[in-house]
Amino acid sequence: MNAKSTPTTGTQADPATGSPVRESQNVSNAMWGGRFSQAPDTLMEAINVSIGFDQKLYAQDIVGSIAHCKMLVEQEILDSAAGEQIIEGLKKIRVEIEEGTFEFKNALEDIHLNIEGRLTEIIGDDAGRLHTARSRNDQVATDFKLWVRDTIDAIDEALNVLQTTLIDQAEKNAAVVMPGFTHLQAAQPVTVGHHLLAYVEMLGRDRGRFQDARTRLNESPLGSAALAGTSFAIDRDQTAKELGFDRPTANSLDAVSDRDFALEFLSAATITSLHLSRLGEEIVVWCSAQFSFAKLSDAFTTGSSIMPQKRNPDAAELVRGKSGRVVGALIGLITVMKGLPLAYSKDMQEDKEPVFDASESLGVCIAAMTGMVNDIEFNIDRLKDAAGEGFTTATDLADWLVRVAGLPFRKAHHVTGELVRLAETSNRNLDELTLDEMQSVESQITDDVFSVLGVAESVSSRTSYGGTAPDNVLAQVKSARERFL
């Protein structure tokens, strides 16, 4: 959108005082009406103006105004001829904004007054009838809810695509073994597919949180007016239905002062960004020369200005870094809202920028992560070798001692620890110990123990529900497609 935003310029005499007043301030006072005889200070205008960011709400403002206009006509509060003029004027304004010919004016403060001002230029004084039975308080709350709702729908679609990409990679790598970690120390072998499906589950919960937030926000504030409702015989059910809300809000004070929906959106966005950040961190580690678990193509890496050998996973790092912006947006808005009495206060103008910024950051992170997951190539041989490092089948040995040799688990744990120490001191893996060496620690060990000491055998044995066995992973892939896609 390349619409123009113009600064305030020009002066003329104030008719009440004869003092010079900027032309733009007269425009502002005309919108406000007769209460003020002097223009606001330049600094007041600078701190008060929001058109630089709330112009993002133009589509929702126009949709909400059209719904309000239709209701006023239906209720015979507004005659049909004026209503038709208003609706056609609003549609024209939307075209102007989308084509980039609309002139946004700082003097008109926000998107609502900018649209109303332009509507007045198009149709004349009848434009002022549109504001009957509403306030900017319920107007902005309605616009903002509509915007957040639209954004949730877009994020859900993007997360669906990311889940699809992860599931596809999980299916492709269902039997590829890799080391599983706790404390970033080698713990037990898992499969790449199993690892990726963990993020599918996280993103599924993220989508659920967004949908829960959407359900709670889907009540229409329109018609609550400034804070107390209106004496006009309006039909709030009609406007709620027209705008796709489930119902009108039950309390006018709550309706204009509620920003729970924005906080809940930011909370869901924060948790999602943290999940993306964790995956980003893993990609950074996997692509390091020291791990060499995976590789990203040139499409998602950059070089160094001085070190020609470098292939930096910048996309993954930026996904990790941008999570801080989303977290900051949540904390910032919580801080704004924490001490506000009912109903509306101008502090609440600070609600939109963090939401807009967090939404943009999250959107680009989801897209970047989808691209990286689709692009990544796993080093299968290196992963298999690493899966056997660090005595990762020790738990399999302990389980065998319980299951086959009949040892209590605590004793099996102790015996396994002794065998790990024996292998470690001789710089060998567990499966490289001889049977005689093992029996010197525990006489009940037999040749059968070697059937559980390989990494492939280890992952294949993990057949409990939700486990890492390749057959399980394929079943989980099928289930995930049914549940999420």
Side-chain angles (χ1 to χ4, degrees):
M1 185 172 68
N2 297 314
K4 297 175 284 185
S5 180
T6 61
T8 56
T9 58
T11 59
Q12 64 183 58
D14 185 310
T17 66
S19 302
V21 176
R22 287 177 298 154
E23 182 180 342
S24 61
Q25 293 173 333
N26 283 336
V27 173
S28 180
N29 285 345
M31 297 301 293
W32 282 115
R35 173 64 179 85
F36 296 92
S37 61
Q38 290 186 321
D41 185 82
T42 303
L43 182 58
M44 177 60 193
E45 183 179 275
I47 198 173
N48 192 48
V49 67
S50 62
I51 188 60
F53 55 85
D54 71 11
Q55 60 186 262
K56 285 181 181 289
L57 300 175
Y58 78 89
Q60 291 77 21
D61 193 73
I62 290 171
V63 167
S65 291
I66 289 174
H68 184 66
C69 182
K70 288 180 179 178
M71 181 275 296
L72 293 178
V73 171
E74 287 287 329
Q75 295 300 108
E76 298 183 348
I77 298 169
L78 177 66
D79 69 74
S80 58
E84 185 176 338
Q85 270 194 310
I86 289 171
I87 290 172
E88 289 305 310
L90 289 170
K91 290 178 178 178
K92 180 177 180 180
I93 291 169
R94 178 164 187 164
V95 171
E96 290 178 353
I97 293 174
E98 292 175 349
E99 290 182 347
T101 61
F102 186 91
E103 184 180 3
F104 293 106
K105 298 176 180 177
N106 287 349
L108 295 179
E109 296 182 12
D110 57 29
I111 187 61
H112 322 292
L113 293 184
N114 265 266
I115 288 176
E116 185 177 336
R118 176 59 180 146
L119 185 62
T120 302
E121 292 175 354
I122 295 172
I123 70 170
D125 289 344
D126 276 345
R129 301 183 186 278
L130 175 60
H131 210 55
T132 305
R134 76 173 182 184
S135 162
R136 277 202 303 180
N137 292 357
D138 63 331
Q139 185 179 1
V140 69
T142 302
D143 293 356
F144 199 20
K145 275 194 170 185
L146 289 172
W147 191 93
V148 171
R149 191 179 71 185
D150 291 343
T151 301
I152 286 174
D153 292 344
I155 287 173
D156 182 74
E157 184 177 343
L159 288 174
N160 180 286
V161 175
L162 176 52
Q163 282 184 301
T164 301
T165 308
L166 283 163
I167 291 169
D168 289 344
Q169 278 283 25
E171 184 172 30
K172 179 181 176 182
N173 295 280
V176 175
V177 294
M178 68 175 290
F181 297 92
T182 61
H183 310 278
L184 203 56
Q185 305 295 311
Q188 291 179 286
V190 296
T191 60
V192 171
H194 189 62
H195 194 110
L196 295 177
L197 286 176
Y199 285 99
V200 173
E201 295 298 324
M202 293 182 207
L203 296 174
R205 294 192 296 273
D206 292 333
R207 292 176 66 189
R209 275 182 280 270
F210 278 116
Q211 288 305 312
D212 288 345
R214 190 189 194 283
T215 297
R216 269 184 289 278
L217 74 77
N218 208 36
E219 296 182 343
S220 173
L222 194 58
S224 297
L227 74 163
T230 178
S231 59
F232 289 94
I234 60 173
D235 186 346
R236 294 190 64 206
D237 288 302
Q238 178 184 332
T239 50
K241 182 177 180 181
E242 176 85 13
L243 295 172
F245 288 110
D246 295 328
R247 63 191 70 83
T249 51
N251 184 284
S252 59
L253 278 168
D254 173 58
V256 298
S257 58
D258 165 37
R259 293 299 183 269
D260 299 3
F261 66 91
L263 292 170
E264 204 167 357
F265 169 82
L266 288 175
S267 178
T270 294
I271 297 172
T272 303
S273 72
L274 295 183
H275 289 155
L276 296 177
S277 179
R278 295 182 73 179
L279 181 52
E281 167 68 6
E282 296 208 285
I283 291 174
V284 170
V285 171
W286 292 345
C287 292
S288 68
Q290 288 69 30
F291 275 75
S292 297
F293 285 0
K295 179 181 178 181
L296 290 172
S297 74
D298 294 349
F300 293 96
T301 57
T302 64
S304 165
S305 64
I306 191 172
M307 295 170 285
Q309 83 281 10
K310 295 293 292 296
R311 181 190 289 271
N312 299 322
D314 283 4
E317 292 172 8
L318 286 168
V319 167
R320 186 178 60 187
K322 283 183 179 293
S323 64
R325 295 180 67 141
V326 182
V327 173
L330 173 61
I331 299 303
L333 186 53
I334 287 173
T335 305
V336 167
M337 296 300 299
K338 68 178 178 60
L340 297 186
L342 297 180
Y344 180 83
S345 296
K346 196 67 171 181
D347 312 49
M348 292 164 68
Q349 182 170 287
E350 297 298 312
D351 59 357
K352 296 168 198 66
E353 284 186 283
V355 171
F356 293 158
D357 184 75
S359 171
E360 184 176 346
S361 294
L362 182 59
V364 74
C365 287
I366 295 171
M369 187 56 72
T370 301
M372 283 187 285
V373 171
N374 185 61
D375 180 78
I376 198 167
E377 291 184 19
F378 290 98
N379 186 341
I380 296 173
D381 292 337
R382 171 62 187 139
L383 285 167
K384 183 177 180 181
D385 290 343
E389 296 170 356
F391 309 104
T392 56
T393 59
T395 303
D396 298 275
L397 173 55
D399 287 346
W400 184 91
L401 290 169
V402 172
R403 188 174 60 251
V404 178
L407 273 62
F409 182 79
R410 288 302 176 195
K411 183 176 181 181
H413 187 284
H414 181 77
V415 168
T416 301
E418 289 190 58
L419 291 171
V420 167
R421 183 172 58 195
L422 176 62
E424 188 174 34
T425 57
S426 59
N427 197 29
R428 288 178 290 170
N429 292 322
L430 283 172
D431 60 356
E432 293 174 319
L433 294 175
T434 67
L435 180 60
D436 287 343
E437 286 174 314
M438 290 189 180
Q439 289 178 337
S440 70
V441 175
E442 173 51 56
S443 61
Q444 297 187 65
I445 295 177
T446 68
D447 271 333
D448 183 63
V449 74
F450 293 100
S451 68
V452 302
L453 296 183
V455 293
E457 292 77 14
S458 174
V459 296
S460 294
S461 72
R462 305 294 170 179
T463 56
S464 59
Y465 181 76
T468 190
D471 288 344
N472 278 32
V473 172
L474 292 175
Q476 292 160 8
V477 163
K478 181 180 178 182
S479 172
R481 292 193 194 281
E482 292 171 351
R483 287 184 292 131
F484 297 126
L485 308 184

